[in-house]
Amino acid sequence: MASNALISHLSTYLKGIAMGAADVVPGVSGGTIAFITGIYETLIGTIHKLDLGLFKHWKNHGFKAMWSHYNLGFLAVLFLGIATSIFSLAKIITHLLETHPVLVWSFFFGLIVASIIYVGKQIDTWRLPVIVALIAGAVISYFITIAEPIAAQDSLWFMALAGFIAIIAMILPGLSGAFILLLLGAYEPVIGAISGVIDGLTGEADLMWDSFLKLTIFAIGAVAGLKAFSGILNWMFNNYKAITLAVLTGFMLGALNKVWPWKEILTTRINSEGLEVPLLENSISPSNFSGDPQVAGAIIAAVAGCALILGFEWLAKRKSAKADGNGA
């Protein structure tokens, strides 16, 4: 029994790592990872269930009963995985995007294509409202990908607002929380604050505490947004599941423009390290790409992204079939 619990926690932790890795990349959604790994509805339902009654339950029934009733073990392990990923993989992923952009974006493109198929297959009815919802989601998501970011800001009130808005995108499959931060002008301040905390642990205490304060305010805004929006999502899943899935599928469909591997740079920005990086980009064909299009490598990377999702789906089906067999 303890072994099963440990395996379950390890699985949740690894899913959290995958979500965190996705959330630091502008264009990829941690919500997509949550959905394809089979924990999306559990995550939304658990967050929605959290309220001030938690403390009353703790008082009346004890900490262990409260922890179990509110499924806090699941949340704690998942968020630990997300935090581990953000603080350990952020610089690695950023480096890979700088050195191998075509291959990395191709991998994400394949991942999202397979995710669209996976989520779309969950829709059991294709009535007119469902089709309209899918189209609307795709159009909204596409226009978000071509929107022009605003200038960076790092005031505390703005960090709270950015956290509130970005977390909504982070839990929606297809909408990238990191890209929303980029649009708001908060991506660099947030990534800079994360780097500040990491660097502060090695010596610069003043920088660390300033960065820690910004991240704390950002987290408070994120928690408020998460709680506010989880209720809406939970209600939508319970009452209009097909339409909700169609909107989420549309979001991912529209997001493909952002992760298209071959881009033409229209404008640039200076990042927190003083380097010039792309700001606005336009999707182009591989033949018009200014550098090496790496078509063969891009196809392999995209297939690998698809295979990863198909692997998750296969494992989920196997686990479900095994559970049904044991129940019988």
Side-chain angles (χ1 to χ4, degrees), residues 13-324:
Y13 178 71
L14 293 175
K15 291 171 184 178
I17 286 179
M19 287 179 65
D23 276 330
V24 298
V25 180
V28 186
S29 168
T32 300
I33 303 298
F35 206 103
I36 62 179
T37 55
I39 62 171
Y40 191 76
E41 290 188 58
T42 300
L43 174 61
I44 297 302
T46 301
I47 294 170
H48 175 63
K49 190 176 181 180
L50 290 176
D51 56 25
L52 294 178
L54 177 150
F55 298 103
K56 184 177 180 181
H57 197 94
W58 183 357
K59 180 181 178 181
N60 293 338
H61 304 283
F63 180 82
K64 187 175 181 179
M66 176 274 293
W67 186 267
S68 175
H69 179 76
Y70 284 93
N71 202 19
L72 296 183
F74 166 77
L75 281 185
V77 173
L78 182 69
F79 287 141
L80 179 60
I82 292 173
T84 300
S85 185
I86 289 175
F87 281 96
S88 63
L89 299 181
K91 290 189 176 182
I92 296 175
I93 292 173
T94 300
H95 174 72
L96 289 174
L97 284 171
E98 291 173 354
T99 56
H100 305 286
V102 170
L103 299 182
V104 175
W105 287 121
S106 296
F107 175 80
F108 288 134
F109 189 89
L111 186 149
I112 293 178
V113 167
S115 300
I116 291 169
I117 297 171
Y118 175 81
V119 177
K121 284 164 60 177
Q122 315 300 315
I123 303 173
D124 54 12
T125 177
W126 284 96
R127 296 173 291 108
L128 181 60
V130 175
I131 297 173
V132 171
L134 185 146
I135 295 172
V139 170
I140 292 170
S141 181
Y142 174 78
F143 277 103
I144 288 176
T145 68
I146 62 174
E148 184 172 356
I150 63 176
Q153 300 186 52
D154 62 356
S155 62
L156 293 182
W157 72 266
F158 184 78
M159 294 294 280
L161 178 64
F164 186 92
I165 296 173
I167 197 66
I168 294 174
M170 287 178 181
I171 61 172
L172 283 175
L175 283 185
S176 164
F179 187 62
I180 295 300
L181 286 177
L182 190 60
L183 291 180
L184 292 172
Y187 184 75
E188 288 295 336
V190 171
I191 293 297
I194 293 172
S195 297
V197 170
I198 296 172
D199 295 340
L201 292 174
T202 61
E204 299 181 42
D206 291 341
L207 177 62
M208 182 184 74
W209 288 115
D210 180 66
S211 298
F212 182 76
L213 176 61
K214 289 178 181 178
L215 285 182
T216 300
I217 296 299
F218 178 83
I220 291 172
V223 170
L226 197 59
K227 179 59 182 173
F229 197 67
S230 64
I232 298 173
L233 268 180
N234 191 64
W235 181 82
M236 288 291 294
F237 266 110
N238 289 333
N239 295 279
Y240 300 98
K241 187 169 184 176
I243 290 177
T244 304
L245 290 173
V247 171
L248 299 181
T249 303
F251 281 161
M252 288 187 284
L253 191 61
L256 286 175
N257 177 62
K258 180 60 184 174
V259 296
W260 179 251
W262 299 280
K263 298 285 188 180
E264 174 188 24
I265 299 174
L266 302 178
T267 59
T268 60
R269 62 186 173 90
I270 304 299
N271 68 11
S272 58
E273 298 177 352
L275 301 176
E276 187 178 30
V277 295
L279 178 63
L280 281 179
E281 298 176 296
N282 183 44
S283 297
I284 57 175
S285 70
S287 61
N288 293 327
F289 188 63
S290 60
D292 181 2
Q294 299 176 272
V295 175
I299 292 173
I300 293 172
V303 170
C306 285
L308 181 63
I309 302 308
L310 294 176
F312 275 130
E313 183 180 9
W314 178 79
L315 287 173
K317 286 183 177 179
R318 185 181 178 186
K319 185 178 179 181
S320 178
K322 187 175 180 181
D324 291 342

